[in-house]
Amino acid sequence: MSWTVVARKDFRDARLSRGLWAVTGLFVLMSVGFAVLYGTVPAVSQDIGEVSTLGFLTLLIGAVTLFVSIAAIVIGAGAIAGERANGSAKLLLGFPHSRADVVLGKLVGRTAVLGAAVVVGLTITLVVALALFDSFAPVDYAVFTAMTLVLALVYIGIMVAISATTGSGGRAMAFGIGAFVVLEILADVVPLAALFVVNGFSVPAGGASVPAWVAFLNVITPSTAYTNALGWFLGDGSATAAALGAQLAGPVPFYLTGWASMAVLATWLVVPLALGYRRFARTDL
């Protein structure tokens, strides 16, 4: 398959660059640092009276989402735009590769780069966790690792899609940063604004229940969908179900469950890539 050739070359080139080692080193420092803090500083681990896998992973989620989203910009924004800017895209398409092969190959290759950093970091952190934690839950750790790889795939997909829409590496980077601001910062305003409107343009009283559709707006970005899915899949999910039930003052609808959040992540992977490929396919190089 032609896209595999593109993916292998992309990963091989990254493996020989300092970028992969820098990303890997930063992730190792972050995850190991959190594990050491959680395992040795009592004030950090005051969750259930013991240093547990679930408590550590809950602590790590926010840092991981931020790292993956920023690393995806660095790794993925120039995937196609960079090659168009330096002219190598014409050379690449001179081989028996279709434009779909290029998009898919770049997606797989760049995801492998970020995924390698995640796997190496969490593997080293695993050793630290086994040494410092009172108890260790291998299933929860494996689920966390798998979900983080899914998040990396989704964010790389968004960045490759953005990269496919422009022939300038600088514009691709700027658009990637803009997407980060929208998805990670401005998106938090939408549920608050919606709640303000449905409450008659006033701030709801503390502890008041919210409509389920407003709660859904809290889990529609890649990072929030990832966080919600982990809430359901780590442990038995009862804490997340209870928290949502209290927030809604009623039963939790399916579209707020972990599997619904997986569908949200799949949508964020497929739709931007389809739009980016459509633009790339129609562009005259």
Side-chain angles (χ1 to χ4, degrees):
M1 291 180 287
S2 187
W3 65 266
T4 61
V5 176
V6 178
R8 283 198 300 269
K9 180 182 182 302
D10 220 40
F11 183 76
R12 185 169 57 248
D13 291 345
R15 186 183 61 186
L16 299 175
S17 72
R18 295 179 180 178
L20 173 60
W21 300 107
V23 170
T24 303
L26 286 173
F27 190 78
V28 169
L29 287 175
M30 182 195 74
S31 57
V32 169
F34 269 82
V36 172
L37 282 175
Y38 184 76
T40 59
V41 181
V44 178
S45 58
Q46 290 175 349
D47 53 353
I48 56 173
E50 66 174 354
V51 181
S52 65
T53 308
L54 186 57
F56 167 64
L57 296 179
T58 302
L59 177 69
L60 192 60
I61 287 174
V64 165
T65 55
L66 184 62
F67 174 86
V68 167
S69 56
I70 293 175
I73 298 173
V74 176
I75 294 171
I80 296 174
E83 298 216 11
R84 288 176 61 185
N86 62 26
S88 59
K90 291 182 179 180
L91 178 62
L92 182 63
L93 290 170
F95 292 97
H97 306 311
S98 68
R99 298 196 184 197
D101 290 329
V102 172
V103 172
L104 182 56
K106 293 293 184 179
L107 170 67
V108 175
R110 301 296 166 113
T111 300
V113 173
L114 183 51
V118 169
V119 170
V120 170
L122 291 179
T123 300
I124 295 174
T125 304
L126 171 63
V127 177
V128 177
L130 290 172
L132 297 179
F133 293 1
D134 299 328
S135 62
F136 183 77
V139 173
D140 283 342
Y141 203 84
V143 168
F144 182 87
T145 302
M147 283 299 304
T148 302
L149 291 176
V150 170
L151 181 66
L153 171 65
V154 171
Y155 259 113
I156 289 292
I158 293 171
M159 294 307 152
V160 169
I162 290 173
S163 187
T165 65
T166 179
S168 166
R171 281 200 298 270
M173 182 66 70
F175 293 159
I177 294 172
F180 169 80
V181 171
V182 170
L183 293 176
E184 296 294 330
I185 300 174
L186 297 183
D188 291 340
V189 178
V190 174
L192 297 176
L195 189 57
F196 180 76
V197 172
V198 300
N199 199 55
F201 295 95
S202 63
V203 179
S209 61
V210 300
W213 65 269
V214 172
F216 179 66
L217 293 177
N218 276 312
V219 293
I220 59 172
T221 66
S223 293
T224 55
Y226 161 81
T227 302
N228 187 57
L230 281 175
W232 285 91
F233 298 153
L234 294 179
D236 59 9
S238 59
T240 297
L244 280 172
Q247 184 183 20
L248 302 175
V252 178
F254 173 76
Y255 54 81
L256 290 176
T257 64
W259 290 112
S261 288
M262 292 297 293
V264 171
L265 287 169
T267 301
W268 277 110
L269 174 64
V270 173
V271 173
L273 278 173
L275 295 175
Y277 167 71
R278 183 180 180 184
R279 177 68 178 270
F280 183 49
R282 297 180 176 183
T283 299
D284 183 7
L285 301 180

